[in-house]
Amino acid sequence: MVAEVLVGLNCRPGRLYVDGTVGEGGHAAAILDRSTPDGELWGLDQDPAVLQTATARLAHHTSRFHLYNYSYTQLGEILEEKGAPGVDGILLDLGLSSHQLHQSHRGFSFLGDEPLDMRFNPQEGVTAAHLLNTWPPEGLERIFKEYGEEPRSRKLARGVVEARRRAPFRTTQDLVRVMSQALGPGGRRRGRLHPATRVFQALRIAVNQELDQLDFFLSQAPAWLLPEGRLAIISYHSLEDRRVKQRLAAWEQAGVMRRLTRKPLTPTTAEVARNPRARSAKLRIAEKFS
Ligand SMILES: C[S@@+](CC[C@H](N)C(=O)[O-])C[C@H]1O[C@@H](n2cnc3c(N)ncnc32)[C@H](O)[C@@H]1O
């Protein structure tokens, strides 16, 4: 949703933008192009590997961008370090990149057989395998239910605890096998989703504390924006979108920010055809009052 983001951020020369989830730099490149000749961009990402790709992609914009191996929750630290009062626009494109899903070998996809890591930053925090091997069954049940919206969370948590008594979880296929066994032969028929889909989402959210990070960001974002600064957030599941929607409504009521999208923008059919992972994307935009 690049075009919608550029309009949403009111991208112009001479302004300072933050891409809080810069990934491989797709949106960042478009922001720099649109803000030619002197717009600036700070790109943040927790994953040091994707920043290498972004650096190469943005190289021709030379002095107009800076990349940081930071969480978007740390934008306040950068502002302080730079002595900057705020920025003109912030983009968050939540979740994980195609590179992380298909090429990182960190266990984000259940299609291959990879180490069950799932950390965006492999130098921080604990892995999905550690969580599966050590958490009590109630904790596992809670994340499967809350973060995966998985109706059979108790059964699956019990399956994990039984399986780890025999051997610790190491790879994605260890988990896929246990999910299929726990649900039995009828498990797949209940819905179209693979039984592991929701559990993989839940584990990724838990490992990276994604909802806590988003909540913290939403509690700070207006303070990081200059008057009339714009915020654009793309989310990919209802747990994220609900939070963004509620916060935007609350800001408007409190006279902090004005919603520019009552209903979220969604990708066109052509974009979904090009990139099927975009099908669940929802973009919400708001502007800080002057
Ligand atoms: C969907 S991708 C972004 C793709 C990017 N918009 C582009 O055009 O290439 C999401 C990125 O957000 C990063 N990410 C997730 N949580 C983050 C956080 N709290 N702080 C910074 N980056 C984060 C992931 O590492 C991933 O690279």
Side-chain angles (χ1 to χ4, degrees):
M1 305 182 80
V2 175
E4 294 87 342
V5 164
L6 294 176
V7 174
L9 290 177
N10 192 17
C11 228
R12 288 175 287 168
R15 308 285 159 137
L16 170 60
Y17 298 96
V18 170
D19 184 341
T21 53
V22 72
E24 289 164 68
H27 284 101
I31 292 170
L32 284 165
D33 284 343
R34 180 65 68 98
S35 62
T36 300
D38 56 354
E40 261 190 74
L41 177 117
W42 299 344
L44 282 55
D45 205 291
Q46 280 188 309
D47 186 343
V50 297
L51 287 179
Q52 289 179 11
T53 315
T55 305
R57 185 173 195 163
L58 303 177
H60 63 286
H61 291 289
T62 53
S63 61
R64 291 207 286 130
F65 76 93
H66 300 272
L67 300 182
Y68 300 87
N69 185 203
Y70 278 19
S71 164
Y72 57 67
T73 55
Q74 295 171 283
L75 176 55
E77 292 172 32
I78 304 177
L79 286 168
E80 214 175 288
E81 228 173 81
K82 301 252 184 197
V87 301
D88 295 292
I90 307 176
L91 166 66
L92 294 189
D93 178 15
L94 298 167
L96 75 168
S97 69
S98 315
H99 173 270
Q100 285 164 335
L101 185 64
H102 300 298
Q103 286 159 36
S104 70
H105 305 293
R106 274 181 252 153
F108 289 111
S109 162
F110 54 80
L111 298 177
D113 196 13
E114 302 175 353
L116 263 172
D117 186 319
M118 295 199 190
R119 288 171 298 174
F120 288 140
N121 184 342
Q123 275 118 46
E124 274 177 12
V126 299
T127 65
H130 179 84
L131 205 147
L132 285 167
N133 290 327
T134 59
W135 273 30
E138 306 77 38
L140 293 170
E141 181 183 339
R142 183 180 61 78
I143 61 164
F144 294 166
K145 190 168 168 186
E146 285 179 20
Y147 299 165
E149 302 186 283
E150 168 55 66
R152 300 155 296 183
S153 51
R154 179 163 300 177
K155 205 173 189 177
L156 294 176
R158 276 201 206 124
V160 168
V161 173
E162 271 168 37
R164 76 189 186 195
R165 282 196 202 110
R166 295 190 293 274
F169 285 89
R170 287 186 211 286
T171 70
T172 47
Q173 286 311 307
D174 293 343
L175 180 57
V176 170
R177 260 192 306 278
V178 169
M179 296 295 94
S180 303
Q181 281 159 8
L183 296 176
R188 184 75 195 265
R189 270 183 254 127
R190 288 188 185 213
R192 284 180 297 121
L193 287 179
H194 187 285
T197 311
R198 291 197 175 96
V199 166
F200 269 65
Q201 173 180 305
L203 283 170
R204 200 198 78 214
I205 292 175
V207 162
N208 296 293
Q209 302 175 348
E210 290 177 40
L211 298 178
D212 293 342
Q213 301 231 29
L214 180 59
D215 286 340
F216 179 79
F217 173 84
L218 291 172
S219 73
Q220 304 296 313
W224 293 338
L225 285 167
L226 293 168
E228 293 176 30
R230 299 275 185 97
L231 177 63
I233 304 186
I234 306 175
S235 55
Y236 292 87
H237 54 77
S238 55
L239 294 169
E240 291 166 347
D241 183 57
R242 207 176 303 140
R243 283 173 155 73
V244 177
K245 177 182 166 178
Q246 286 170 355
R247 189 60 75 129
L248 262 52
W251 283 336
E252 190 166 271
Q253 228 177 11
V256 178
M257 301 218 13
R258 180 168 72 94
R259 281 176 291 180
L260 301 181
T261 46
R262 292 267 151 182
K263 294 223 178 315
L265 304 178
T266 52
T268 59
T269 326
E271 179 164 0
V272 175
R274 269 198 318 275
N275 172 20
R277 287 189 58 230
R279 69 186 176 281
S280 44
K282 289 198 167 121
L283 168 62
R284 294 186 187 269
I285 303 159
E287 182 182 73
K288 184 166 167 172
F289 285 117
S290 47

